[in-house]
Structures are given as structure tokens and as C-alpha cells.
């Protein structure tokens, strides 16, 4: 049956592929969707708008051929009038930003087909990249661009000399309080303060939407759009950090990234000093047998380290980075514990209520309320802060080094499954075990067994062949496909 499905699937795939192939035959160049749209750029000192659809680029013409290498595309465009061809090479940086380098319109000898090789050969890789910003951008989480709170001093070599240093100048890029899993932080604020006697400094908050970030060597670029600015040429900006020294950041003063080579040599330069999270005095203690190392299954398997007064949670948004949140015990009544939540990057402190169940072997079950700014037990730990009150769902801390425990039930069970995603003991995406040859299965059942002498393991086999050997003993030669669970709770 599976085989039939696979054959059918291949059939459908064939049709799709040949349809696309036909389209390609007709028009050898289809511009990827991510490059299509209306784009703003600052080119040779002028605001420029570029419109790209599946086959054309404004002021460049119709695409006649293309090639690509990863996220880098080379296109050959033919101008409608005139007999010359443009080569445009693009590098996709984020959903909202791409960069391009291009050559002049070149003629090719008569009788030669235009190709990426003969039209693009004049383009040097070291030419300045032009950055294009999507005019209909989709904001992206700022977390990977910039996260934390800093005081900053700034210089702008085009507007004033000297360094403007005011105590209240701040950059603030924080996850919105109260949303732990649906993290929303697609904007950040830069609060400028005016310096007397420095023309061009001003007092005001600039709010930016994040358009995504990318690396070029050690340079970490991110693009932004000023949310309060309607003039296109003032709206888009590029920031630059250096991976080795993230206390300086460079900011462009035009919609360009190529003016930023190093943070120190950028038109606007900010020097950052992190604003440290405050110290919070513990006001209560956690249950003694919570102390130790845990894994939080509700937060991408974060590492959790619990002491008498602190819960430190570290998670890894990607391979290279980690984020730490520290919870400090403030007040405890019955199962509910109000904890102060601190992030090390200086984003504000708030309060969260944990409703803990007593530790049971390798598991701590808890519910966590919404974060609140107010330091008041009856507000923070009010039952209305627990969103899932009706379904009463608990999240889990699992012991990092669990010790299996004895299961309260033992025996062999036959089970049936209902629902959309039945449990399967086959290897996902793997080869289906060959049909069972020469063995007559009296019956195939779904088997769940707790039969080891210690009663610490449960074997589950969704398709267990019930058969007998020549002595009448039950056998299942395919029991390799069963899954073993250890009891932790
Ligand atoms: C930026 O500041 C404005 C004005 O104070 C405020 O309304 C807005 O919520 C802030 N935005 C962020 C992302 O902090
Ligand atoms: C948690 O972090 C705080 C602040 O960094 C530190 O003082 C404390 O020792 C840590 N506790 C654990 C259990 O790691
Ligand atoms: C942990 O301590 C609580 C009481 O403080 C107790 O009810 C619970 O059974 C203990 N759990 C374990 C696994 O020792
Ligand atoms: C296992 O359960 C199925 C479905 O309820 C039933 O048809 C079958 O007879 C059971 N097999 C045994 C060996 O009990
Ligand atoms: C049990 O499943 C195998 C394939 O896994 C099948 O060949 C066999 O006919 C089934 N037997 C019964 C009794 O359903």
C-alpha cells in the first residue's frame, strides 16, 4: 500500500517537474519570489526605487538568463530599447534586504547568445554593494540583531565634532514582558539626548523595526526601518557590530550599508555600556529537594539549575549563542512562589508566579503565570495569571540525570489507538521493515509490556506479530522495532 502511494507520488512529482521545465524552456529566467517586490535604495547619492517581478527589473529590462550559487544570483537583463545587456548580481541578506552589484549595459558580438559568462565577466567582486530595502517589509525579531539595554555616547562626523555623552541616552531592545514563548520583539528604541553646543544633536526617541541581520566575516550587519518616518530616504538604516568587540556600533546616515566598513569608521558611531540587571535579594527558599540540574521541556530543552533561592535557566536559540534568565525566590505561600525574573542583558526585571507540585522522583511539575511588573504577591500569584487554568496543564522540569524508578504496573497489554497521529514504532523516514516472510502471524496486535524483573522499563510495539514457535511459545521475531521507555515518574 505504501509502495502504491510512493509510485503515485512519484507520478505527481513528474508532472510538476515537467510543467516547471516547460515554463523554463519558454523563459529561461524566472526571478525568485524573495527578490520580487518594490525596493528602496540609495544609489550614487540618489533615492532609487526598483520594482522586480518574475521576469523583469525596472530600468534593467527583461531577464533573459540567470545562474545561481547558493543565495547569490546572477541575472542577465535585456533592455527593451537598445541592444545591450545588464548583468545584475544579487546576494540575499534577509527576507527584507538584498544587495546587488552590477555592470554597465554591454553589447555582445552578433551571433552570440547572451549568457551569464559573457555579460557578467566585467564585474569585479570587490565592487561596492548596493543595499535594497523592501518597501513592504515584514518585521523580524530583533533578538539576533540586538538585545539588551545600554547607555551610549555618540559621534557623528558629518554633523558635529566631539562626543555627545549624556547619562540618559539609552538603547533598549527587550522582549516584551509576559510573553515567554511567543516572544515578540520586532522593534527597539534609541533614546537620544541633546548635548549643548553640539549642533545636530537632539533629544528624542527613535523607534526602529528590525529587518534582519547577516554576517560578512566578523562584521555583523543588521537593517532597520524607522517606524515614525515616512520619508523613504530617512526611513531605512544599516547598523554594524563587530563580533569581537560589540561595545561599538556603527550606524549609517543614509539607506546604505556600504558606508559601514568597521564600527569605528562609520558615519555615526555609538559606544555602548551595558546597563546591568539589578541585584535582587532573595526573600524565600525553594523546596529543598528541588536543588540540582534539570531540563525544561517547555523551553527548547533549556538547562535549569536550581539552588535554595535561585532558578537559573539557560537556553540555546541557536548553536552559537545562549540566553540566561535568573529567577530569584521572593515570596512563597502554599504551592505558589513569586519570583523576580532577571535577564543578564539589562532588560527590565519583572515578577512571575510559579505553581509547583512537590517533586516526584525525576520530575517537577509546574505552571507558570504571566509576568507582571508589580512586586506584589496577590497580583503576581493571583490565579488569573495562570492562563491554562481550565485545562490545568503542567509543564515539566526533568532531572538531567534521571534514575529510573519502579513502575506501578506490570504485565502485557494489547492497545488500540485513536486520533490523527497514531504512535508508530517504525523508524521515521526510514525503510519499512520487509514483509514478514515465512512467519504466520496469528494476529497483529499493539503491545505494551512491562515485563523486566525490575519493572523499570516499558516496551511498546505498535505492530507486534503474535505467533507461536514449534513448542507453542509466543514469538515475535520483529520485536526489534519496539521502543523502550524508562519510568521516571
Ligand atoms: C519606544 O518608545 C516609545 C515612546 O516612549 C514607546 O511607546 C514604545 O513602546 C517603545 N518601543 C519599544 C520597542 O521599546
Ligand atoms: C544563578 O545565577 C546567579 C547570578 O548570576 C548566581 O549568583 C547563582 O549562583 C546562580 N545559581 C545557580 C544555582 O547556578
Ligand atoms: C520532596 O519534598 C517534599 C516535601 O518537601 C515531599 O512531599 C516530596 O515527596 C519530596 N520528593 C522526593 C522525590 O523526595
Ligand atoms: C487486541 O485488541 C484488538 C482490538 O481491540 C482486538 O481485536 C484483539 O482481539 C485483541 N487481541 C488480543 C490477543 O487480545
Ligand atoms: C500482520 O502484519 C503483516 C505485515 O506486517 C502482514 O503480512 C500479516 O498479514 C498481518 N497478519 C494479520 C493476521 O493481520
Amino acid at each position: 500500500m505504501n509502495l502504491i502511494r510512493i509510485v503515485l507520488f512519484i507520478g505527481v512529482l513528474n508532472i510538476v517537474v515537467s510543467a516547471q521545465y516547460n515554463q523554463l524552456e519558454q523563459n529561461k529566467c524566472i526571478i525568485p519570489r524573495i527578490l520580487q517586490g518594490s525596493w528602496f535604495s540609495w544609489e550614487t547619492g540618489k533615492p532609487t526605487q526598483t520594482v522586480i517581478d518574475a521576469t523583469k527589473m525596472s530600468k534593467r529590462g527583461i531577464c533573459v538568463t540567470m545562474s545561481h550559487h547558493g543565495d547569490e544570483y546572477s541575472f542577465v537583463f535585456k533592455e527593451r530599447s537598445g541592444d545591450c545587456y545588464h548583468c545584475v548580481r544579487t546576494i540575499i541578506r534577509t527576507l527584507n534586504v538584498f544587495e546587488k552589484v552590477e555592470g554597465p549595459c554591454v553589447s555582445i558580438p552578433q551571433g552570440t547568445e547572451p549568457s551569464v559568462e559573457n555579460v557578467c565577466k566585467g564585474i569585479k567582486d570587490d565592487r561596492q554593494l548596493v543595499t535594497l530595502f523592501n518597501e513592504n517589509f515584514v518585521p523580524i525579531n530583533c533578538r539576533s540583531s540586538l538585545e539588551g539595554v545600554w547607555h551610549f555616547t555618540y559621534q557623528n562626523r558629518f554633523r558635529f565634532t566631539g562626543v555627545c555623552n549624556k547619562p540618559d541616552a539609552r538603547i533598549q531592545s527587550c522582549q516584551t514582558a509576559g510573553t515567554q514563548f511567543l516572544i515578540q520583539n520586532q522593534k527597539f528604541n534609541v533614546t537620544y539626548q541633546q548635548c549643548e553646543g553640539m549642533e545636530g544633536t537632539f533629544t528624542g526617541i527613535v523607534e526602529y523595526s528590525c529587518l534582519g541581520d547577516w554576517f560578512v566575516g566578523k562584521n555583523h550587519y543588521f537593517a532597520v526601518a524607522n517606524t515614525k518616518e515616512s520619508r523613504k530616504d530617512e526611513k531605512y538604516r544599516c547598523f554594524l557590530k563587530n563580533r569581537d568587540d560589540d561595545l561599538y556600533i556603527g550606524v549609517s546616515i543614509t539607506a546604505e550599508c556600504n558606508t559601514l566598513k568597521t564600527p569605528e569608521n562609520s558615519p555615526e558611531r555609538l559606544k555602548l555600556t551595558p546597563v546591568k540587571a539589578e541585584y535582587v535579594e532573595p526573600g524565600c527558599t525553594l523546596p529543598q529537594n528541588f536543588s540540582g540540574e534539570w531540563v525544561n521541556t517547555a523551553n527548547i530543552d533549556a538547562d535549569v539549575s536550581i539552588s535554595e533561592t535561585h532558578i537559573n535557566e539557560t537556553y540555546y536559540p541557536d548553536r552559537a549563542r545562549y540566553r540566561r534568565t535568573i529567577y530569584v525566590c521572593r515570596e512563597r505561600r502554599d504551592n505558589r512562589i513569586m519570583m523576580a525574573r532577571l535577564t543578564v542583558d539589562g532588560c527590565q526585571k519583572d515578577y512571575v508566579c510559579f505553581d509547583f507540585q512537590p517533586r516526584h522522583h525525576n520530575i517537577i511539575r509546574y505552571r507558570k503565570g504571566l509576568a507582571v511588573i508589580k512586586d506584589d504577591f496577590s497580583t503576581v500569584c493571583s490565579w488569573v495569571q495562570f492562563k491554562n487554568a481550565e485545562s490545568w496543564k503542567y509543564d515539566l522540569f526533568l532531572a538531567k540525570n534521571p534514575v529510573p524508578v519502579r513502575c506501578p504496573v506490570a504485565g502485557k497489554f494489547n492497545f488500540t489507538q485513536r486520533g490523527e497521529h497514531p504512535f508508530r514504532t517504525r523508524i521515521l523516514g526510514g525503510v519499512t521493515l520487509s514483509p514478514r516472510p515465512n512467519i504466520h502471524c496469528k494476529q497483529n496486535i499493539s503491545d505494551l509490556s512491562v515485563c523486566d524483573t525490575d519493572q523499570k522499563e516499558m516496551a511498546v510495539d505498535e505492530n507486534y506479530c503474535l505467533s507461536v514457535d514449534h513448542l507453542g511459545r509466543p514469538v515475535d521475531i520483529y520485536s526489534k522495532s519496539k521502543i523502550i521507555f524508562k519510568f521516571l515518574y
Side-chain angles (χ1 to χ4, degrees):
M1 166 118 128
N2 266 341
L3 199 64
I4 293 172
R5 245 187 260 158
I6 289 169
V7 169
L8 270 179
F9 179 67
I10 290 174
V12 171
L13 206 66
N14 256 331
I15 295 163
V16 172
V17 168
S18 50
Q20 265 183 1
Y21 186 72
N22 283 341
Q23 214 171 358
L24 275 175
E25 277 291 87
Q26 275 169 12
N27 184 344
K28 277 203 232 146
C29 187
I30 294 186
I31 303 173
R33 190 164 278 274
I34 191 167
L35 292 169
Q36 295 178 24
S38 173
W39 304 83
F40 181 84
S41 54
W42 190 256
E43 299 184 23
T44 54
K46 283 200 214 70
T48 305
Q49 193 193 41
T50 302
V51 178
I52 297 176
D53 66 18
T55 54
K56 320 185 273 300
M57 176 170 177
S58 55
K59 301 196 207 84
R60 299 293 177 271
I62 304 237
C63 187
V64 290
T65 182
M66 65 185 266
S67 71
H68 80 101
H69 186 256
D71 278 347
E72 283 191 46
Y73 288 82
S74 298
F75 300 98
V76 172
F77 290 99
K78 183 180 191 308
E79 277 206 26
R80 230 164 263 232
S81 55
D83 242 353
C84 62
Y85 296 90
H86 285 282
C87 171
V88 179
R89 194 165 281 166
T90 65
I91 306 169
I92 295 165
R93 298 301 195 187
T94 83
L95 218 54
N96 299 308
V97 176
F98 79 88
E99 296 191 299
K100 68 166 186 188
V101 29
E102 53 190 339
C105 207
V106 295
S107 306
I108 53 167
Q110 273 210 324
T112 337
E113 281 282 303
S115 69
V116 169
E117 287 69 34
N118 61 19
V119 177
C120 293
K121 63 170 185 272
I123 293 196
K124 303 264 184 320
D125 278 339
D126 59 356
R127 283 185 67 127
Q128 286 232 323
L129 293 171
V130 172
T131 309
L132 293 92
F133 299 85
N134 196 332
E135 294 191 324
N136 301 305
F137 60 84
V138 181
I140 289 179
N141 196 310
C142 296
R143 182 163 248 170
S144 56
S145 302
L146 194 66
E147 186 172 37
V149 181
W150 294 272
H151 166 255
F152 71 93
T153 64
Y154 71 113
Q155 279 173 284
N156 183 323
R157 60 189 159 95
F158 291 90
R159 295 222 179 102
F160 55 91
T161 48
V163 178
C164 177
N165 183 356
K166 282 286 183 174
D168 292 333
R170 284 276 182 287
I171 294 182
Q172 182 144 16
S173 179
C174 288
Q175 306 299 315
T176 314
T179 53
Q180 196 206 354
F181 304 126
L182 297 166
I183 302 154
Q184 283 303 314
N185 162 228
Q186 297 165 340
K187 292 176 189 168
F188 68 92
N189 270 348
V190 181
T191 307
Y192 285 97
Q193 293 277 302
Q194 188 172 22
C195 281
E196 294 76 24
M198 289 187 173
E199 195 117 4
T201 63
F202 69 105
T203 296
I205 297 178
V206 185
E207 189 187 61
Y208 291 113
S209 284
C210 291
L211 305 183
D213 65 318
W214 65 95
F215 282 93
V216 178
K218 291 210 159 159
N219 278 350
H220 180 193
Y221 291 93
F222 57 99
V224 300
N226 185 332
T227 60
K228 304 276 154 50
E229 183 59 71
S230 52
R231 292 167 297 172
K232 293 261 168 67
D233 52 331
E234 296 292 332
K235 190 174 184 67
Y236 302 100
R237 291 291 180 262
C238 194
F239 280 70
L240 169 63
K241 289 198 285 189
N242 186 296
R243 212 192 286 230
D244 292 336
D245 172 15
D246 57 3
L247 288 188
Y248 283 95
I249 54 180
V251 189
S252 69
I253 54 172
T254 48
E256 290 174 294
C257 295
N258 62 25
T259 56
L260 309 177
K261 298 285 184 258
T262 66
E264 288 80 2
N265 287 322
S266 302
E268 183 171 306
R269 238 179 311 173
L270 312 183
K271 183 175 187 230
L272 311 184
T273 320
V275 173
K276 284 260 159 33
E278 316 157 55
Y279 173 75
V280 173
E281 186 79 39
C284 58
T285 57
L286 298 163
Q288 243 174 13
N289 59 16
F290 281 17
S291 289
E293 303 299 318
W294 303 86
V295 174
N296 183 3
T297 56
N299 186 15
I300 4 180
D301 289 346
D303 286 331
V304 174
S305 166
I306 304 184
S307 68
E308 236 188 346
T309 51
H310 284 66
I311 298 178
N312 294 0
E313 180 164 338
T314 310
Y315 79 95
Y316 303 87
D318 53 47
R319 227 175 299 162
R321 291 171 313 134
Y322 69 92
R323 298 274 171 212
R324 182 167 295 151
T325 307
I326 295 167
Y327 297 94
V328 186
C329 193
R330 288 294 304 152
E331 193 172 341
R332 177 173 166 188
R333 293 185 207 166
D334 52 63
N335 285 339
R336 287 170 300 166
I337 302 180
M338 178 176 83
M339 306 197 77
R341 181 172 75 167
L342 316 170
T343 48
V344 280
D345 51 38
C347 288
Q348 88 253 14
K349 165 178 80 183
D350 49 26
Y351 298 88
V352 187
C353 191
F354 282 85
D355 167 26
F356 283 115
Q357 294 295 300
R359 171 176 179 172
H360 198 132
H361 301 303
N362 300 294
I363 284 172
I364 299 173
R365 292 190 302 154
Y366 71 94
R367 295 190 303 148
K368 187 153 79 175
L370 294 179
V372 173
I373 300 289
K374 216 163 133 194
D375 178 7
D376 170 46
F377 188 91
S378 55
T379 310
V380 179
C381 283
S382 148
W383 294 112
V384 302
Q385 304 297 351
F386 293 93
K387 270 216 159 149
N388 52 11
E390 302 88 52
S391 50
W392 214 253
K393 178 181 157 291
Y394 286 94
D395 287 323
L396 303 180
F397 289 155
L398 289 183
K400 195 156 192 181
N401 304 302
V403 185
V405 297
R406 191 178 169 85
C407 171
V409 291
K412 234 171 155 41
F413 305 91
N414 177 11
F415 66 90
T416 46
Q417 303 191 67
R418 284 188 202 92
E420 275 175 50
H421 300 287
F423 176 84
R424 299 207 154 269
T425 37
R426 299 240 163 89
I427 306 151
L428 270 184
V431 187
T432 310
L433 288 177
S434 55
R436 295 168 170 174
N438 311 326
I439 278 260
H440 175 66
C441 296
K442 229 173 77 210
Q443 202 177 18
N444 292 327
I445 64 162
S446 292
D447 174 71
L448 182 155
S449 312
V450 182
C451 292
D452 61 314
T453 43
D454 284 345
Q455 264 171 253
K456 287 183 177 172
E457 284 183 1
M458 174 174 83
V460 176
D461 190 342
E462 154 270 319
N463 187 19
Y464 178 88
C465 172
L466 207 60
S467 186
V468 286
D469 66 9
H470 65 288
L471 296 174
R473 286 183 310 220
V475 288
D476 173 27
I477 58 155
Y478 292 96
S479 56
K480 271 186 219 113
S481 64
K482 73 187 169 193
I483 293 184
I484 306 282
F485 295 93
K486 290 195 191 299
F487 288 101
L488 305 181
Y489 179 62

